[in-house]
Amino acid sequence: MATPFTFEAVANDIAVSGGEVSLALDKAGNPSIAFSQAGSGQIIVARRNGGSWTHENVPGSFIGVDIRPWLAIDSTGNPRLGYQDLSSGELIHAVKSAGQWSFTHISTKLTPIQGPGGVAGVTFALHPGRLDTESRDVGYFVYVDLATDGIGFAHTGSIGPTPVTVQVDTTELTTFADPSVSFDPSENFFVGYVSFFHSGSPQDFVSVRETHVVDIEQGTFSTPAVIEGSQQINVRRPTSIARTFSDGCLAYFDMASKILKASVSSGGFSGIETVAANVNNIVTPSAAANRGDFRVAYSDTDAIKLASRSPSGTWTVEPVDAVSAGSPSLAYDNAGTANIAYVAGGTLKYARRSE
């Protein structure tokens, strides 16, 4: 029998906006959570150390309702954020160092054509820098470029061009959305996202896609692989991707069939697997790797749930907390401890369990 989760209310005195949060762990396994305050959209970072939580408003940083502020902890233990600024719509990289926050507007426009500026669907990860030490803590951003409705990539490093195109359709018949990113332990960078082919028929042709960086110095990505594509699927929430040394898991929610799916490559096998059926809550899943196996946290109408994949490819679902909640954020430390953050009833909660 699995060890039960323990629960903590992270911010009882703060009304949390929407249900989008981002959880990240430092090297010691201490969790931090980025979220926004209801009403103002003020970004707040909560940090747990020694069993107690502290909260910090990130100066001048505001986002819209149901927008996720992406959080990462750098190699020195400092928080970094990637987010779409509420007033300008631009991509902001916020870094805390020596007790002070600094802010950089990341260049994102993929072409000089006329059209709306700004970004949507921002996602973000820090380069681990264990092998490529020159790139340690370089911010890697993927986003929807509103000028082209394409997927763009930008980084804060000195190696290779930025921004560059991941995929854009110049015919304007296909638009792209809902990216997710992950480094694998070999420091390869992977991107999952969704495309919509607008054929004029009542239903778009929807496909889930995956690509990876081929050459960072040239700014090139692999030819996108179509994971699943049909007029019978409907994916309208962000994907979530996790990687091990040789395997991958790209989780996404098919609203048409109410099935939480995962495209899994493992042990030479590759295919689409049903993580959970009859899911009635339209929220974003959160995939993670735990010592070679894959896990997906998600929110159904009756509970936050955790799906675990066995080495043989069987998914087992267990309830974590019997509440109606927003999109969870899942992370595992090196000891195999599960950490989940989520918003229930306007309150930010944190669940933890050793596996």
Side-chain angles (χ1 to χ4, degrees):
M1 185 175 179
T3 304
F5 280 88
T6 59
F7 302 92
E8 299 174 17
V10 178
N12 274 333
D13 56 338
I14 303 173
V16 182
S17 174
E20 295 295 328
V21 302
S22 179
L23 180 148
L25 307 177
D26 65 17
K27 289 186 288 187
N30 297 308
S32 296
I33 306 169
F35 61 101
S36 63
Q37 188 172 29
S40 67
Q42 168 72 60
I43 297 177
I44 302 170
V45 175
R47 307 195 74 177
R48 185 181 188 270
N49 203 323
S52 61
W53 289 92
T54 59
H55 314 110
E56 177 183 15
N57 288 1
V58 182
S61 299
F62 299 87
I63 57 175
V65 176
D66 290 330
I67 300 296
R68 178 169 290 185
W70 281 98
L71 172 69
I73 306 299
D74 67 21
S75 60
T76 61
N78 286 318
R80 300 189 179 207
L81 293 162
Y83 61 94
Q84 175 193 358
D85 181 67
L86 178 61
S87 60
S88 69
E90 295 181 354
L91 173 56
I92 305 296
H93 183 215
V95 179
K96 188 176 184 182
S97 179
Q100 300 294 319
W101 286 94
S102 61
F103 304 88
T104 302
H105 292 245
I106 303 297
S107 177
T108 58
K109 201 164 185 181
L110 300 179
T111 71
I113 64 172
Q114 296 298 314
V119 296
V122 170
T123 185
F124 161 62
L126 290 180
H127 195 292
R130 292 184 295 270
L131 305 175
D132 177 11
T133 56
E134 187 176 352
S135 295
R136 181 176 297 148
D137 295 331
V138 167
Y140 276 35
F141 305 87
V142 174
Y143 54 90
V144 178
D145 169 46
L146 294 182
T148 61
D149 287 325
I151 298 292
F153 164 73
H155 63 79
T156 60
S158 58
I159 301 175
T162 181
V164 298
T165 298
V166 177
Q167 189 171 14
V168 166
D169 180 17
T170 57
T171 69
E172 300 182 355
L173 292 176
T174 303
T175 58
F176 304 92
D178 301 328
S180 59
V181 299
S182 179
F183 283 96
D184 71 8
S186 297
E187 301 181 354
N188 299 302
F189 185 69
F190 292 81
V191 180
Y193 58 102
V194 183
S195 74
F196 304 93
F197 176 65
H198 310 288
S199 62
S201 61
Q203 291 181 306
D204 294 333
F205 186 94
V206 179
S207 63
V208 177
R209 304 186 175 204
E210 185 177 43
T211 182
H212 63 273
V213 169
V214 173
D215 188 334
I216 191 65
E217 294 184 2
Q218 298 298 319
T220 55
F221 282 77
S222 65
T223 301
V226 176
I227 304 300
E228 181 179 13
S230 170
Q231 287 180 300
Q232 278 67 56
I233 68 170
N234 187 9
V235 181
R236 303 281 172 170
R237 295 292 292 182
T239 57
S240 184
I241 191 170
R243 301 290 307 189
T244 63
F245 276 105
S246 58
D247 301 334
C249 175
L250 177 62
Y252 55 98
F253 178 53
D254 180 0
M255 295 165 53
S257 63
K258 298 184 178 180
I259 295 176
L260 177 59
K261 300 178 179 179
S263 170
V264 177
S265 57
S266 178
F269 166 85
S270 181
I272 298 171
E273 300 177 355
T274 294
V275 177
N278 300 314
V279 179
N280 292 295
N281 204 14
I282 306 170
V283 294
T284 304
S286 182
N290 178 29
R291 295 179 290 191
D293 295 326
F294 293 115
R295 307 284 188 261
V296 179
Y298 66 99
S299 175
D300 208 342
T301 52
D302 59 343
I304 289 287
K305 297 179 180 179
L306 179 64
S308 301
R309 187 181 189 274
S310 72
S312 63
T314 300
W315 288 93
T316 302
V317 175
E318 61 179 306
V320 174
D321 191 3
V323 293
S324 176
S327 302
S329 184
L330 171 68
Y332 280 85
D333 64 19
N334 292 331
T337 301
N339 300 260
I340 307 177
Y342 52 98
V343 177
T347 298
L348 178 60
K349 300 183 71 175
Y350 166 73
R352 176 185 179 91
R353 183 182 72 185
S354 297
E355 296 186 3

